[in-house]
Amino acid sequence: MSTTSRQLTIRLPQIELDRIEAYSKRTGRTKTDILREFIRSLPEPESEPEKK
């Protein structure tokens, strides 16, 4: 894994932003930390089935 950081900007519907902000406050974690954890939980590209 590369150690170089890059910035990503996303647009979310208000309801999804509210949800991640509430989770962030409840857990005391940053939104960035929450999203990084979610991304890391995704399957590795080589383990995904081939698209047909």
Side-chain angles (χ1 to χ4, degrees), residues 15-51:
I15 194 165
E16 291 177 357
L17 182 58
D18 293 345
R19 189 172 177 182
I20 195 169
E21 287 177 341
Y23 186 78
S24 174
K25 288 178 186 175
R26 191 168 62 247
T27 61
R29 296 167 58 204
T30 65
K31 293 182 287 274
T32 297
D33 184 46
I34 294 163
L35 293 171
R36 280 185 182 141
E37 182 180 345
F38 175 75
I39 291 166
R40 290 174 183 150
S41 75
L42 297 172
E44 291 294 325
E46 55 272 1
S47 65
E48 293 179 359
E50 290 185 30
K51 294 182 181 178

Side-chain angles (χ1 to χ4, degrees), residues 5 13 39 43 52:
S5 293
I39 291 166
K52 293 182 180 183

Side-chain angles (χ1 to χ4, degrees), residues 1-21:
M1 180 187 337
S2 174
T3 58
T4 303
S5 293
R6 304 269 315 264
Q7 184 173 354
L8 172 66
T9 303
I10 62 171
R11 293 180 187 273
L12 296 173
Q14 188 63 50
I15 194 165
E16 291 177 357
L17 182 58
D18 293 345
R19 189 172 177 182
I20 195 169
E21 287 177 341

